[in-house]
Amino acid sequence: MKHWLVLALLATAFGARAAPEDARPLKLWHAYRGGEETALVQATELFTAKTGVQVELLALPYDAYAAKLTNAIPHGVGPDVFIFNHERLRNFHAQNLVAPASGLAREDYFPNAVEALEVDGQVYGYPMSLKSLALYVNTKHVPQPPTTTEALLKMLPALSNSGEGRFGMAYESGDFYFHAGFLFGFGGELFDASGRASFDTQGMARSLAFVKGLQDARFIPQEASGALVKSLFNDGRAAMVISGPWFAGEIAPEVDYRVVGLPQVSETGIPIRPFLGVETAYVSSRTAKAEQAQKLARFISLGEASRVRATVGRQIPADVAAYTLREVQEDTLISSFREAARHATPMPNTLEMARVWEPMKLALRAVLQGGTLPQDAGALADRRYRALHRERPPEASPLPWLGLLGAMALGGSVWVLRRPAATLPFKRRYPDVAQAAAYIAPAAAGIAVLVFVPFVVGLSLSLFHHEAGEYSFVGLANFVDILASRGYSITEPLSFYFTLAVTLLWALVNVVLHVSIGLFLAMLLKDPLLKLRGVYRVLLIIPWAVPNYITALMWKGMFHRQFGAINGLLVALGLEPVSWFTQFSTAFAANVATNTWLGFPFMMVVALGALQSIPQELYEAAEVDGASKWTQFRHITLPLLKPAMLPAVILGSVWTFNMFNIIYLVSGGEPGGGTDILVSEAFRWAFQRNEQYGFAAAYSVLIFVVLLGWSTFTKRLTRSSSEVVG
Amino acid sequence: MNHPSRLKMALIHAGLTLLCMATLYPVLWVVKMALSPTDGLALTANPFPETVTFEHFRQVLSGTDAAGRWVFGRQLLASIVVSGATTMVGLTLAVSAAYALSRFRFPGKDGGMQALLITQMFPATLMMVPIYSILQKLHLLDSLSGLVLVYATTALPFCIWNLKGYFDTLPRELEEAAVMDGASTFQVFIRVVLPLARPALAVTALFSFMTAWNEFILAATLLNDPSRFTLPVALQRYVGEHKVEWGKFAAGALIVSAPVMALFFALQKHLVGGLTAGGVKG
């Protein structure tokens, strides 16, 4: 009887362990929001109803999405299925993140959508929807949409009035995704026969000149963001808008609009051909439930799921059969976009594609902001492209390095052993070593595993080149490239020396401002008889309490060209609003203002503490000797503050030197990477320029070396100052 | 000290009021965005909202995931648990290590202190890739305990430095007296040293809490389950690449900042002493 019971218990225990394994839901990652997200939820519910398999969705912010996928999937914690634009397919494929689509029937989808997902003849993923740009027309202002650029140019003057803030057309002109259509329409190509990008072409110059002309005539707004385009169109102040299907969901109900294909370029006879992106359901290469995952990916790309995504999510299905459904046929938005997509250029799924965005953005903005002529911009982009497109350095042999490491270890141990023997035995010299070990061990273990190991890994990573998931040992090649400033002159933002100079200036300006403002406030606050002292102090440390990425975003909003409070203040004072991020000086000033606001409270608190520790008698004695206030400050306050303030200054300068959040979020390195500091530059190499981890690590090592030099220098200062004070 | 004149006091008050206003302006601007019914987009210098609505707060507080489950409460709880645990773990480790570094003699002591400082100079974002692999080996990916471990250890160098500096300033005579009375080293540490070090402990605890409460890059990378997201990661949702929901972001920002501000308010008396007493001896 007892045995049976035990067996039964064991059986249930095993059952319980086996069941969750099977019933564990499929994980689906995506970056949808709003209607598209609702539609995806409904589509997966249909899948669950049909197959009984649960699906767990995770919506990720777009900016962090790709990095998270490339981290999570190889470590086995990624999704089973994920949705991404096809443009990154080659990167995913190279890193072995995606599995071939095993259940795909080509005839179910539009042929160009399937072709976009081919790598070496194999199809990866299931095409879900097509994304491209079309022309939204406010029918009240534009009854007859233009079909050629000639017609467009004729209509624009009557529709635009810069004094009233009305524009004939609006779109995010500083974004290459939006400009690409013009580039192709003017006969420009992005890639030459060998698959390399080339920017210095006639089509590029003509397309840039055309757009610059629109902006100079004030037919389109400057520096338009998505939010501005939306509000202009909804207020009836933009007659036409170039945007994608997602824009339909943001249009106010009272606006009557139509969607048509983009006009033809009259000079070339070629239509404006925007990029075509294929949003795709990929199956992860590491999924434990490949069969179910394939089923899910196929399911959400076809049939009933397509209908839901088209009607609820307003997506343009890649599924041929969807267009036989009445709801889809009758939906003019979908049919217009389907029509517009006929002329679109499928984005190539090559590794090169990921490398054109940064150079193109630079060229586009340089022209629109007036710093560069349209015919010179191509060459500018070409140079940036070549600099970012680092060739894999030749592989080096690790043997000399291992030899060096061995020699150093040997030398180190010889040095330790050859040191003159201590006069006292170890036990006597360190009587409490066992106790100390007990107190320190837990902290030491944690620091060793999670601080020192990553630190050493980071150091050694700098000797490797990383490309598409593979590391090759290259010795000092990364450092040589950085320090020789290969591919660009030292006065350009991509050069190490330029960035280093900006970083030093950044650290210097900030620390000086932090310390002087902090000290000034501390002097005002130090009098214990001051009324409301506590209140002031609390109010003045608020910036310290606000998380610094919130501070950064908050100030970024305040420096906004159209809606920012700073420009609001300038206008209230009768001044012209400023485009903060189009010039180095103003962009740098914006960063400094943000970081000053963030950093002075810490210095204020430290200075307050230091001031309180100065004995009052010193001042009284000075008073008796007839010293002026200034003399007292110079000869008593400053020297006595020094020992307390110096560690804070060192800490503050290290923090400022590595203050990534502010730079990355406020100026974002604009204009053209000019305001990037070393850390943000390292971050870009690691996470935005095809994961060049080794190169980024080399940058970090250099940062480390600079800071080490700085701290040695200040340590000498501290020592000399403590000698003075005695 | 001689009494400052009335005029001087008035000047000081005027100066402080002006600077407080400059300091508070951005905060008021966020409050305005959070309370305005629109997304707060208008070119105006006025930091006060014209019409007030609590809609953005309501939407943030009742935030649900795609399946309609209420996740805000869980995210708040996750943030509190992570920050609380980080403070506890971090402080326990830092206090004992700092005490040992301050009081005992052992080989590698000065080298260790220097090494701690040096690790602060390597950019943290670049340590992300190795940290990810280590947590995977420890089976702590996508778990709050993994996050706590990372936060606690990365904050340790600063905590240890600050506490060690403070311990160095405490007179040893008290400890010696306690030993005379027959207390063990551990008892001395708990009964005598810790109570004396209260200001430094408060500041260090605040620092650990803040690190964990505010951090978002690691949390965004390491966590995959929306119900375990900490608040900063949840907040990221409102500042997308193509669309920024300023109203909700501002409301969320205020909710996230409020607890830390409250802590600052509660601890501000200790703040000055706790930071600088350590700093003087550095």
Side-chain angles (χ1 to χ4, degrees), chain A residues 27 56 68 77, chain B residues 132 135 139-147 221-226 228-229:
Chain A
K27 286 198 268 182
E56 193 179 271
K68 203 165 155 102
V77 289
Chain B
Y132 203 96
L135 285 185
H139 297 286
L140 286 173
L141 273 183
D142 192 16
S143 75
L144 294 184
S145 28
L147 205 58
T221 317
L222 296 176
L223 299 177
N224 295 329
D225 176 356
R228 275 200 295 251
F229 279 175

Side-chain angles (χ1 to χ4, degrees), chain A residues 29 33 37 41 57-59 61-64 68 71-72 75 77 227 250 426 429-433 435-436 439-440 442-443 446-447 449-455 457-459 520-521 524-525 527 529-531 534 536-547 549-550 553-555 557-558 562-565 567-569 571-572 597 600 602 605-606 608-610 612 616 620 623 643-644 647 651 654-655 658 660-661 679 682-683 686-687 693 696-697 700-701 703-704 707-708 711 715, chain B residues 1-4 9 12-13 15-17 19-20 22-27 29-30 40-45 66-67 93 96-97 99-101 103-107 114-116 118-123 125-136 138 141 149-150 153-154 156-158 160 185-186 189 207 210 214 216-217 219-226 229 231-232 235-243 245-246 249 253 256-257 260-261 264-265 268-269 271-272 275-276 279-280 282:
Chain A
W29 287 10
R33 296 168 64 188
E37 186 176 11
V41 172
L57 289 114
L58 174 61
Y62 183 77
D63 312 9
K68 203 165 155 102
N71 265 323
H75 287 102
V77 289
E250 302 187 353
F426 187 81
R429 263 193 305 155
Y430 302 116
D432 29 36
V433 80
Q435 237 177 352
Y439 275 95
I440 283 192
I447 289 180
V449 173
L450 286 165
V451 178
F452 279 108
V453 170
F455 175 71
V457 171
L459 286 185
F520 176 69
L521 284 171
L524 291 186
L525 280 174
D527 188 345
L529 296 174
L530 183 73
K531 278 190 192 121
Y536 287 131
R537 204 163 62 184
V538 168
L539 290 181
L540 288 169
I541 53 177
I542 282 181
W544 192 4
V546 181
Y549 72 94
I550 289 182
L553 288 169
M554 195 162 102
W555 280 78
M558 300 215 312
Q562 282 106 9
F563 309 121
N567 277 348
L569 275 177
V571 170
W597 188 80
F600 79 83
F602 174 74
V605 169
V606 174
L608 211 50
Q612 286 170 357
Q616 210 51 56
E620 280 157 21
E623 201 82 13
L651 203 60
V654 171
W655 283 340
N658 285 336
F660 170 78
N661 281 356
V679 203
F683 180 86
F687 299 106
Y693 295 140
S700 314
V701 170
I703 293 175
F704 173 69
L707 285 176
L708 206 60
S711 77
K715 213 160 67 190
Chain B
M1 186 183 212
N2 46 355
H3 255 282
M9 271 298 177
I12 289 180
H13 274 292
L16 283 171
T17 314
L19 282 161
C20 281
T23 308
L24 289 182
Y25 186 77
V27 180
W29 206 65
V30 173
L41 296 176
L43 192 64
T44 154
L93 297 184
S96 58
Y99 184 66
L101 284 166
R103 291 294 189 266
F104 302 138
R105 275 170 296 160
F106 53 92
Q114 287 308 318
L116 281 185
I118 281 176
T119 57
Q120 298 294 289
M121 298 174 190
F122 200 75
T125 33
L126 269 299
M127 311 235 286
M128 210 157 75
V129 178
I131 285 181
Y132 203 96
S133 299
I134 292 168
L135 285 185
Q136 187 208 9
L138 299 173
L141 273 183
L149 217 56
V150 175
T153 40
T154 43
L156 268 184
F158 174 85
I160 293 178
T185 338
F186 188 69
F189 175 53
F207 180 82
M210 238 169 80
N214 295 346
F216 90 116
I217 296 182
T221 317
L222 296 176
L223 299 177
N224 295 329
D225 176 356
F229 279 175
L231 288 179
L235 204 57
Q236 206 187 3
R237 194 180 155 75
Y238 300 118
V239 263
E241 192 188 26
H242 294 295
K243 197 171 154 196
E245 295 171 83
W246 282 114
F249 172 73
V256 172
S257 315
V260 184
M261 285 194 201
F264 261 94
F265 186 71
Q268 56 117 354
K269 282 218 178 89
L271 217 51
V272 176
L275 260 179
T276 36
V280 177

Side-chain angles (χ1 to χ4, degrees), chain A residues 52-122:
Chain A
V53 179
Q54 296 285 334
V55 183
E56 193 179 271
L57 289 114
L58 174 61
L60 291 160
Y62 183 77
D63 312 9
Y65 190 17
K68 203 165 155 102
L69 280 171
T70 46
N71 265 323
I73 292 179
H75 287 102
V77 289
D80 299 296
V81 176
F82 62 95
I83 298 170
F84 214 96
N85 201 300
H86 83 281
E87 157 216 347
R88 276 240 180 192
L89 170 59
R90 194 65 70 120
N91 299 54
F92 292 150
H93 177 256
Q95 299 187 43
N96 198 17
L97 303 182
V98 284
S102 61
L104 177 127
R106 281 172 174 267
E107 60 278 10
D108 289 345
Y109 307 94
F110 290 120
N112 59 352
V114 179
E115 277 157 29
L117 301 182
E118 269 182 23
V119 178
D120 306 331
Q122 179 73 259

Side-chain angles (χ1 to χ4, degrees), chain A residues 133-137 144-147 240-241 243 257-263 332-333 336-337 339-340:
Chain A
L133 300 172
L135 192 66
Y136 285 79
V137 187
Q144 193 63 40
T147 54
M240 292 175 265
V241 156
S243 195
Y257 70 95
R258 270 179 74 185
V259 182
V260 295
L262 296 170
T332 52
L333 179 79
S336 328
F337 264 103
E339 187 55 29

